[in-house]
Amino acid sequence: MASVTARGMTLCILALLNFVFVFITGADFVRFISFRAIYHNITGESPLCQDSVPWSVALRDRSVLKSVVVDLGLLALFIVQHSLLAWAPVKQACQSVLGVLNRAMYCSTTAMALQILMHYWQPVTEAPCLWSVRNAPWNTWFPLLCFTLHFLCWSIICSILLIFDYPELLGIKQVYYECLGLGDPLALKSPRAQRLFAHLRHPVCVELAVVLWLLPALPLDRLLLAGSLSAYLALAHSLDTQDCAYLSVQLHSKLRLFSLPQDGTAQNNDNHKQE
């Protein structure tokens, strides 16, 4: 019994450390994607681009080409890590070795890949921007609009992650269920929910696209970042009509639940039956 308790404590500590690391990385990622790009002048950073330099000159500049190669390598590292560990044979091999910590390991390595990407990312400041809002009064109002929409999108992303079972996504629920002897939490979900999660493990594509592309200025390195991640998000998910129908049923049931609070218990039971 003592060994079981010690094992459970070890699993819980590892899961909590993973949660802290992923949470810190998420906060750093918000700063990297939104704050640095919108408020680079306030933070005293160098200009994002040089509009006076023609593209023909910038694309022959060794510093520009070096930064582009480094950034593409960092993006490739993240995409390979995120895809390889989600590949069924690799996932099964990791599951056989790590057990309930497999999901936590996946999140930790993803966070590590993001930390490496953010730490070694090379801004391309010697090339012109694809667009840049510089004329008054839009040079004041458009960054404010971007900040407002970025804040709204990140709020929606956090809300959706909570709705989509955030503890299970981070691997905390797997450890908790293992300690209680309840098995895999995903196996307890309905077949339609499991099918949806298999196709849509990142239900924040639209919001991420907004924060990636909506900026007062779009330098070359941001184009690489936004284009690569947008293409990866688009290719990584494959929702079909059955998934959309399931989402529609769940959305309407939640709306009815909020519109009829006095029938909340009965409606909740109906939701479980539908799943």
Side-chain angles (χ1 to χ4, degrees):
M1 187 67 181
S3 61
V4 174
T5 303
R7 178 176 179 274
M9 287 294 297
T10 302
L11 292 175
C12 291
I13 291 173
L14 292 175
L16 288 175
L17 289 175
N18 166 70
F19 170 78
V20 172
F21 182 47
V22 172
F23 183 84
I24 293 174
T25 301
D28 289 341
F29 188 66
V30 172
R31 177 193 57 80
F32 177 77
I33 291 293
S34 295
F35 185 83
R36 184 180 68 88
I38 297 176
Y39 293 105
H40 60 280
N41 290 326
I42 298 177
T43 56
E45 297 183 18
S46 58
L48 291 176
C49 52
Q50 297 290 339
D51 290 334
S52 60
V53 178
W55 279 106
S56 58
V57 175
L59 294 179
R60 291 197 298 267
D61 191 328
R62 287 190 174 183
S63 63
V64 172
L65 296 178
K66 179 182 177 181
S67 297
V68 168
V69 170
V70 171
D71 293 343
L72 288 176
L74 293 171
L75 287 167
L77 172 65
F78 171 75
I79 291 173
V80 168
Q81 175 275 327
H82 212 58
S83 301
L84 182 62
L85 292 184
W87 187 36
V90 177
K91 188 176 180 179
Q92 292 174 2
C94 293
Q95 182 71 35
S96 63
V97 175
L98 298 172
V100 294
L101 290 176
N102 183 45
R103 182 66 191 178
M105 181 275 299
Y106 180 78
C107 293
S108 294
T109 53
T110 298
M112 180 62 70
L114 278 177
Q115 288 286 358
I116 294 173
L117 183 148
M118 292 184 290
H119 183 74
Y120 292 103
W121 187 260
Q122 299 292 315
V124 182
T125 58
E126 301 302 323
C129 286
L130 276 78
W131 70 70
S132 180
V133 179
R134 299 183 184 273
N135 297 328
W138 293 108
N139 60 344
T140 300
W141 289 106
F142 192 67
L144 181 60
L145 174 64
C146 291
F147 168 78
T148 303
L149 292 177
H150 276 228
F151 180 82
L152 178 62
C153 286
W154 286 118
S155 300
I156 294 174
I157 288 172
C158 293
S159 301
I160 292 177
L161 290 177
L162 291 175
I163 293 172
F164 267 72
D165 206 345
Y166 187 67
E168 189 268 328
L169 289 174
L170 287 184
I172 298 175
K173 199 170 185 178
Q174 287 86 334
V175 172
Y176 176 71
Y177 273 45
E178 172 71 14
C179 293
L180 295 181
L182 299 176
D184 185 5
L186 186 59
L188 302 178
K189 298 183 183 296
S190 67
R192 297 178 69 186
Q194 293 184 36
R195 189 176 189 277
L196 172 66
F197 288 171
H199 292 172
L200 185 65
R201 294 301 289 178
H202 303 85
V204 291
C205 297
V206 175
E207 294 81 8
L208 276 177
V210 171
V211 299
L212 285 171
W213 290 99
L214 185 64
L215 294 170
L218 189 76
L220 180 58
D221 63 290
R222 184 55 176 244
L223 175 66
L224 297 176
L225 179 69
S228 300
L229 293 184
S230 297
Y232 179 70
L233 286 171
L235 295 174
H237 304 298
S238 55
L239 289 181
D240 54 20
T241 54
Q242 295 185 43
D243 297 320
C244 293
Y246 175 76
L247 282 173
S248 178
V249 170
Q250 294 304 308
L251 176 60
H252 283 85
S253 65
K254 296 299 187 297
L255 291 176
R256 288 197 301 269
L257 179 63
F258 284 113
S259 62
L260 298 173
Q262 67 275 13
D263 297 331
T265 304
Q267 185 65 48
N268 192 34
N269 293 334
D270 292 339
N271 293 341
H272 288 298
K273 292 179 180 179
Q274 289 177 3
E275 293 182 358

